[in-house]
Amino acid sequence: GAVVSQHPSWVICKSGTSVKIECRSLDFQATTMFWYRQFPKQSLMLMATSNEGSKATYEQGVEKDKFLINHASLTLSTLTVTSAHPEDSSFYICSARVTGTGRSGNTIYFGEGSWLTVV
Amino acid sequence: AQSVSQHNHHVILSEAASLELGCNYSYGGTVNLFWYVQYPGQHLQLLLKYFSGDPLVKGIKGFEAEFIKSKFSFNLRKPSVQWSDTAEYFCAGGGSGNTPLVFGKGTRLSVIA
């Protein structure tokens, strides 16, 4: 099946620094990827929709200047948490939709997630 | 606006018991529905999906779900749970094209021996 990979899986950073998380579609092209955030014992909350070659679409309440999203190619989207603070500590998950028919078609697949801890 | 709601926050079952997790959706257009499972410390995995056709959908690991349009429901079922089914289960829905999924709050399933 389709595979979406995130890197890094775990990252610890100091308050005030920036952290970049990568999301790759390994065996398909994704014009659109989605970034979610999951707090412990809570559901996934959509942060933004990442569109290849254009600006991301952010959900209400998500600071676009703090959570920079770049989708420079059809297989890579990056999320950069700028000037991170402890309250940004969370589990960040990306996903991408496989289009077309077939067993994997029209299904959104998720990356493994990235744990961010800001100290 | 589209929304997905899961009724049960935490379900505790004994092994071999039958499972049914509720999911209701609210969506004005074409609806695609999914059930995902998240085992402790792992990422989301797709259990099953419904787009159209037969409303009874069979997924992996013995799970199935039934789409009942009149009730706006897409409940997940398994006739006999195992200890290894202990996980968080998320119902999600979304339209076609490049619209994102909207998730329910999740249901934690604990299976005890």
Side-chain angles (χ1 to χ4, degrees):
Chain A
V3 178
V4 176
S5 178
Q6 278 183 245
H7 177 80
S9 300
W10 301 84
V11 58
I12 301 174
C13 70
K14 291 184 177 181
S15 184
T17 62
S18 296
V19 175
K20 179 185 287 187
I21 301 170
E22 295 184 345
C23 177
R24 295 182 184 273
S25 56
L26 297 185
D27 52 1
F28 66 99
Q29 293 182 332
T31 56
T32 302
M33 291 183 175
F34 307 102
W35 285 97
Y36 294 83
R37 183 174 182 178
Q38 184 181 28
F39 289 104
K41 300 182 180 181
Q42 294 188 29
S43 187
L44 283 75
M45 299 299 296
L46 179 67
M47 297 176 66
T49 301
S50 171
N51 304 299
E52 188 268 335
S54 64
K55 292 182 178 180
T57 305
Y58 290 82
E59 295 299 299
Q60 189 174 7
V62 178
E63 299 176 61
K64 60 181 182 181
D65 294 329
K66 181 170 187 61
F67 298 99
L68 300 179
I69 292 173
N70 183 275
H71 196 154
S73 77
L74 288 172
T75 59
L76 174 65
S77 174
T78 60
L79 168 68
T80 301
V81 183
T82 63
S83 187
H85 290 285
E87 57 265 30
D88 298 326
S89 299
S90 186
F91 191 50
Y92 293 88
I93 307 172
C94 74
S95 68
R97 182 187 291 269
V98 177
T99 57
T101 58
R103 184 177 181 181
S104 299
N106 205 13
T107 297
I108 294 181
Y109 288 89
F110 288 82
E112 308 96 324
S114 300
W115 281 104
L116 169 63
T117 301
V118 184
V119 298
Chain B
Q2 57 184 341
S3 66
V4 174
S5 61
Q6 293 180 243
H7 320 302
N8 314 103
H9 178 65
H10 189 188
V11 173
I12 303 173
L13 294 174
S14 298
E15 277 193 313
S18 63
L19 169 72
E20 180 161 3
L21 301 181
C23 173
N24 286 91
Y25 69 92
S26 170
Y27 195 73
T30 302
V31 61
N32 299 333
L33 295 165
F34 306 80
W35 274 98
Y36 287 87
V37 60
Q38 188 176 31
Y39 297 103
Q42 297 188 28
H43 63 97
L44 288 169
Q45 298 176 36
L46 179 67
L47 278 178
L48 47 81
K49 59 185 178 181
Y50 170 81
F51 297 139
S52 63
D54 189 344
L56 184 61
V57 181
K58 293 190 181 299
I60 61 172
K61 305 186 181 187
F63 287 92
E64 66 178 30
E66 185 174 10
F67 171 66
I68 303 179
K69 189 175 182 179
S70 61
K71 295 184 178 180
F72 299 94
S73 69
F74 189 58
N75 293 354
L76 180 72
R77 300 195 293 249
K78 186 171 183 178
S80 177
V81 295
Q82 302 172 321
W83 178 81
S84 57
D85 293 324
T86 295
E88 190 89 15
Y89 291 82
F90 293 96
C91 181
S96 56
N98 284 323
T99 55
L101 289 181
V102 174
F103 283 83
K105 292 188 175 181
T107 298
R108 179 180 299 177
L109 172 64
S110 298
V111 180
I112 56 178

